[in-house]
Amino acid sequence: FWQNCLKHGEVATAPQFLWTASHTGATTVDMSNQLTNGRLRALGETIASVDRAGGFVEHLFLAHNTITDEALGDFLQTCGKHLGKLRSLDLEANSNLRTVSAMADRMRARMLPLRYLNVSYTPLHDSALYDLAESLRSCCGVIADLRISGTGLGRFGQKACTHFASLVSECPNLTRLDIGDNFLRKEGLGSLSAALASGACALSHLSIAGNVRLVSEEDNHPFALFCESLQSAASLTHLDISRCSVGQESALCLEVSLRGHRSL
C-alpha cells in the first residue's frame, strides 16, 4: 500500500488504519478519517493486488473523508472488477461526494453485491439519490442494511423518497433502513406507509427521525396513516420517530398500533 502511495506522491507516514484478513482470505479495510484522493488511488491498486493474490475485500470503511466523485470513479475503475465479494461499504460523511454515479452503475450491473451501504450525511444531489434507489432496486435481493440519513433526500421533491420507500416491500432481505434527518413529506411518507402495510416488509429496524414537521393538524394526516401501517409491519422490533412532530390524531393511531403490535 505504501509503495503505491509513494507512486502517487503521497507521504509514507503510517496512519492508524485497520487492515485485517481472515483464514478464508476475506479482508476488512478501515481507512476512515484519513484518505486523500492519492491514497484512495493507492488503495484501489492494493485491493486489486490482494485479489490477484487470492484474497478479497469483504468490508470497506471509508467514512469521514473528503473523497470526490472523480476520485471514487477512478477508484472503482481501478479495482471495481476485484470487488465481486464486497459486502459492506461505508461512505458516511464524505462532504465532497455529490453523485456516486460510478458506484450506482456497478450496483446496477450487479458488480457490487452490497448487503450493507452507508452514505449518511453525505450531501448527495436529488438526481443521484434517485439513481441510487434505482440501482438498489435492480439488485434488491441482496441489500440488508441501508443508511441514507442526512443526505438531503426529499429536499427538492419526493420522487426519490417514493423509490426508497418501495425497497421496503421489494427487497426481501432489507431488515434495516435509516432515512432520518431528511425531508420525508406527504408523498414519500404515504409510499412508506403503503410498503409497510403491504405484508412484504422484512424490516426489523426503521428510523425516520427528524423528518415529519407539523405545521397544522391537517398536515399530520400522512403521519397518522404511517402510524396505522405499523400494525401490518409484523417484523418491526425497533422504530425511531424522535424529533418528529406528532399531532393528536397521530398520537392516538400510534398508541393503537403499539398496543396491537407483537414485537415493536
Side-chain angles (χ1 to χ4, degrees):
F1 172 70
W2 288 116
Q3 287 176 342
N4 289 329
C5 282
L6 288 171
K7 187 169 62 177
H8 293 290
E10 289 290 330
V11 178
T13 54
Q16 297 298 312
F17 70 90
L18 174 68
W19 187 295
T20 58
S22 72
H23 67 281
T24 64
T27 301
T28 295
V29 180
D30 188 347
M31 296 198 71
S32 301
N33 274 305
Q34 56 202 306
L35 275 182
T36 62
N37 289 338
R39 284 182 182 173
L40 184 61
R41 285 193 294 272
L43 178 61
E45 292 168 357
T46 306
I47 288 173
S49 298
V50 168
D51 184 62
R52 286 192 290 266
F56 61 93
V57 173
E58 187 173 31
H59 308 290
L60 184 57
F61 300 95
L62 307 175
H64 299 277
N65 286 303
T66 54
I67 299 170
T68 64
D69 295 311
E70 182 180 4
L72 182 61
D74 290 344
F75 169 76
L76 291 173
Q77 183 67 33
T78 300
C79 68
K81 65 181 181 181
H82 303 283
L83 294 174
K85 295 183 179 180
L86 187 67
R87 296 296 178 262
S88 306
L89 178 59
D90 192 332
L91 292 167
E92 181 177 355
N94 271 275
S95 57
N96 290 337
L97 278 178
R98 293 293 182 273
T99 67
V100 296
S101 57
M103 179 184 71
D105 289 343
R106 279 168 171 75
M107 291 173 65
R108 192 176 293 110
R110 306 199 174 195
M111 297 170 68
L112 279 177
L114 296 175
R115 294 176 184 167
Y116 167 87
L117 175 63
N118 185 1
V119 292
S120 296
Y121 303 102
T122 295
L124 299 175
H125 290 157
D126 200 56
S127 58
L129 287 162
Y130 176 80
D131 191 36
L132 180 59
E134 283 291 287
S135 66
L136 285 165
R137 290 178 76 178
S138 69
C139 57
C140 65
V142 179
I143 193 72
D145 189 339
L146 178 60
R147 307 187 189 197
I148 52 174
S149 59
T151 54
L153 178 68
R155 184 190 295 270
F156 300 110
Q158 296 291 289
K159 189 175 182 180
C161 294
T162 61
H163 276 64
F164 277 111
S166 69
L167 297 178
V168 170
S169 57
E170 293 177 10
C171 297
N173 293 314
L174 184 62
T175 57
R176 180 164 187 155
L177 177 63
D178 184 351
I179 51 176
D181 293 324
N182 282 306
F183 300 87
L184 206 59
R185 299 294 182 259
K186 181 178 181 180
E187 186 179 351
L189 198 59
S191 297
L192 181 58
S193 301
L196 290 171
S198 68
C201 169
L203 286 180
S204 60
H205 291 68
L206 173 63
S207 173
I208 62 168
N211 267 284
V212 182
R213 293 165 178 82
L214 177 63
V215 177
S216 67
E217 190 63 34
E218 278 186 21
D219 297 329
N220 209 226
H221 182 62
F223 192 53
L225 293 177
F226 167 80
C227 293
E228 286 183 349
S229 71
L230 295 174
Q231 295 185 69
S232 303
S235 58
L236 268 181
T237 59
H238 295 77
L239 173 68
D240 188 352
I241 55 172
S242 56
R243 293 176 288 111
C244 289
S245 298
V246 181
Q248 183 177 2
E249 180 185 7
S250 297
L252 290 172
C253 292
L254 181 60
E255 179 186 3
V256 171
S257 291
L258 291 176
R259 288 182 182 277
H261 204 283
R262 296 195 303 267
S263 56
L264 189 59

